[in-house]
Amino acid sequence: MKPFPTHRLPGALPVTAALLLAALAPAHAAAPPALLPVGGLRLSVTTGDAHSSDTRGTLLLCDPPQGHSRAAEACADLTAAGGSIDAIAPKDAVCSLLYAPVTARATGRWNGRPVAYAKTFSNTCVMLAETGAVFDLDDEQLPDLPEMTELPGV
C-alpha cells in the first residue's frame, strides 16, 4: 500500500470545500422563497402574558377579500381608516374590567405602504371594540409564513 502524500492535503482542502458548496447551492436555489402578496397583512393575536400564551392568526388579503373569516368586514374597516389600524373608528361596546391581556400584531403592506402594528389590550372585548373585524380571528391557526421584515422590498 502506498502512503498518502500529506504535503498535498492543504491544497486539497479548498478544492473539497468548493465542491461541497457547489453541490449544496442547487438545493437552495431550487426552493423558491415563500413570498406574501403585495397587499397582504399577516395578522396574529396572542392571548396571555409572556409566561403563558396562545397565538392564532391568518393572512388578510383585500383584493378580493380572503384569508380571514371576516375578510370583507376587516378590509372595509381598514379602507375606511386609510389602512391605519390605529385610525379604525372604535365600536360602542360594554367591556368588563377583567384583565386578560391580548396582543394584536399586523405586518405587511397596505396599498404599497409597509404596516407594522403591535398593541396589547386589556382583554379581547376592548381589542375588538378598537380594531373592528381586523383581529376577530376566531380560532384560525397561524400559518407558517416568513416574517415580513425578511422579504425584499419590505
Side-chain angles (χ1 to χ4, degrees), residues 7 13 25-26 42 49 70 76 126 129-130 137 139 141 144 150:
H7 67 284
L13 286 176
R42 182 178 189 240
D49 57 18
R70 296 181 62 195
V126 173
E130 292 186 24
L137 303 182
D139 288 324
Q141 294 299 310
D144 292 328
E150 297 174 4

Side-chain angles (χ1 to χ4, degrees), residues 33-62:
L35 297 177
L36 294 178
V38 174
L41 291 180
R42 182 178 189 240
L43 305 173
S44 67
V45 175
T46 303
T47 305
D49 57 18
H51 302 292
S52 171
S53 63
D54 172 43
T55 300
R56 63 192 189 281
T58 193
L59 177 64
L60 173 65
L61 303 173
C62 289

